[in-house]
Each structure stands twice: as structure tokens, then as C-alpha cells.
Amino acid sequence: MVALFQFPKGMDIGMGTGADGVWRYWRPFSSDIVELGVVCGQDVSLPVHFHEEDQLTFVLSGRRRFLMKDSLFDVAPGQGVRIPAGTPHRSLSESMDIFCINIYTSPGVYDAMGLFAGMSLLLRRQGSIDWLDLAAIIKDHRCDGGMPQERTEARNASWETVSEGARLAGMSREGFSRRFRKQFGIPPQIFRLSERLNEARHLLRVGQPVAAVAAETGFSDQSHLGRCFRRAFGVTPGHYRRSVSHAP
């Protein structure tokens, strides 16, 4: 399956197949791509989370399934799905190996459907996708604000804890949690955790030490950040930092 995607020369991606899921991330030299990721294996489930960027997932083999806003998105080989920035989602495990590409881009400025069509055509013609070809296709489908952003309205909330949010809203903790979940499809505590993990992801991208990132983003220690980060993104903060702080 790895042969379906041509990685940068000299990049030790270390992908495998089987029951376990494997995630790999890196940042290419491209102003159009915040980050690229590849996912393979069977246990590719992740809990509810969201990203600061649009996530454009394209499946090369197997299938990917996502739950968003109580809707199931089933993505077959040669197809893709756009998960808008700020959209809570979770992925499901599969019974067969999958291999897919995750493209993280600035919110709302790329024609995702056109991009997926171009990738599908390239895959049929060549039997694989080279990452340089992928970068070129992404650049060709920039539409500068032509796509709706659909971002979560609860972003940049002025509260740090559920109790504080409830107090500011003049509600009980239970009432605030029920209203928040009904409105945004995600419990407030999970929302705040995802916000902190996204901030950690940003700081790790620019090379901040893991321990410093844990302290700055409000985790009790490096181990606490590590557990939450791996559960949400499939890799440890240390592995993520090493992968994305050196662009091929």
C-alpha cells in the first residue's frame, strides 16, 4: 500500500500494515500545505477532536469512516472528504487495511472536490501519487475564500473550565454542558481539551520542547500531554515534533 504514495526521497516513513494503526506527519516546503499526514492499518479510530486547519482526507486503498454532526461519511478508494476547520469529528476502526493521505490546509481556501477529482485521476493514470505532484495539485485548486469555512462558533471562548463557562453564562454546570453539547455537538470539556491540543500541535511544529509545550498549554506534565496527544492524533508529541520540525 505504501507504494501508492511516493514519499520525499530519503524520508524514512516506517509505515506498516495490520491490526494497529500507524500515523506519520511532516511539513513539506509548500505555502499551500500546513502539514501532510499518512494513515495506514486497521485500528485507525480516533476520539472526537477538531483541527485548526481544514483536513482533506483522500483514500488510496481500503476505506475511511468519519462521524461528523451525527452523520457517517464513508470514504472509498479514490474518494475524499473535507472536514472543515473547527468541526468535531471522530474516525472508526476498519476490518481491513487502509491507506490514506491527510492534507491540512488553511481554512476555506481550497476547492476540495476539485482537488480530490485531480488526485483520483492521477492515481488512475499513474497507479500512485508523488508528493510533489500532490503539492502542485493542491496549489492549482486554491480558490481564496471560495469555500465556506463552517468553523465552530465556540472558538476563542473566554472560559477555561466548564464551571467558569457556566458561571459566565449564568447557568448551572449541568445546564451549560447540555446546551453546549446540543449547540456544538461536543461536550465543553472535550472542546477545551481539543483547543489545548491544537495549541500544543502548533508549538511543537515550531520546535518548542515537549515539556515546555505541556506547561504552556495547561497540561499537568509531559506524560499527561503525551497521553492526550497520542489519543487524539495517533502519535506521541515527541515523534510529532521530530517529524514536522524538519521539512523535507
Side-chain angles (χ1 to χ4, degrees):
M1 289 189 297
V2 175
L4 292 171
F5 186 73
Q6 302 301 312
F7 294 96
K9 186 177 180 180
M11 183 174 177
D12 181 17
I13 197 66
M15 300 300 289
T17 60
D20 292 335
V22 179
W23 283 258
R24 293 289 184 270
Y25 300 93
W26 77 98
R27 284 193 305 143
F29 286 123
S30 171
S31 60
D32 296 282
I33 306 171
V34 175
E35 185 174 293
L36 285 175
V38 290
V39 183
C40 77
Q42 296 174 18
D43 186 7
V44 293
S45 62
L46 294 176
V48 175
H49 64 288
F50 58 83
H51 299 279
E52 294 290 329
E53 309 83 21
D54 281 357
Q55 176 182 319
L56 311 178
T57 293
F58 183 82
V59 175
L60 286 87
S61 65
R63 72 172 184 174
R64 238 18 242 285
R65 291 177 300 160
F66 297 93
L67 283 173
M68 287 184 279
K69 300 178 181 178
D70 297 322
S71 296
L72 177 65
F73 293 80
D74 194 329
V75 191
Q79 296 179 349
V81 62
R82 172 180 174 250
I83 304 176
T87 300
H89 62 281
R90 68 183 180 96
S91 57
L92 307 180
S93 286
E94 305 300 342
S95 59
M96 299 179 65
D97 283 337
I98 67 97
F99 188 89
C100 73
I101 306 169
N102 286 349
I103 306 163
Y104 300 93
T105 67
S106 298
V109 295
Y110 293 89
D111 175 10
M113 293 301 102
L115 170 61
F116 295 145
M119 293 175 68
S120 182
L121 179 61
L122 189 64
L123 185 62
R124 291 198 303 270
R125 285 179 174 175
Q126 299 183 174
S128 66
I129 296 178
D130 182 275
W131 83 277
L132 290 174
D133 291 335
L134 175 60
I137 293 174
I138 293 171
K139 184 176 182 179
D140 287 344
H141 287 87
R142 185 180 181 96
C143 55
D144 294 313
M147 299 286 289
Q149 294 193 28
E150 306 175 40
R151 305 189 75 181
T152 301
E153 296 173 17
R155 301 172 68 80
N156 301 317
S158 59
W159 46 270
E160 292 295 332
T161 66
V162 178
S163 295
E164 184 182 0
R167 180 181 60 80
L168 291 173
M171 303 175 67
S172 69
R173 179 186 171 96
E174 293 75 16
F176 176 76
S177 295
R178 284 196 301 270
R179 188 183 73 172
F180 193 98
R181 183 164 191 163
K182 181 178 181 181
Q183 184 172 358
F184 301 111
I186 184 173
Q189 60 269 31
I190 300 301
F191 173 85
R192 295 305 292 176
L193 175 61
S194 202
E195 283 274 320
R196 290 159 59 205
L197 288 170
N198 281 317
E199 177 61 18
R201 192 164 171 148
H202 170 74
L203 294 173
L204 291 167
R205 278 189 196 130
V206 298
Q208 290 289 329
V210 177
V213 170
E216 186 166 345
T217 52
F219 291 90
S220 57
D221 54 32
Q222 187 171 330
S223 295
H224 184 205
L225 170 62
R227 290 192 300 272
C228 295
F229 196 95
R230 183 166 187 170
R231 192 159 54 240
F233 303 131
V235 296
T236 66
H239 191 285
Y240 177 82
R241 180 180 180 274
R242 289 190 297 272
S243 298
V244 302
S245 60
H246 298 90

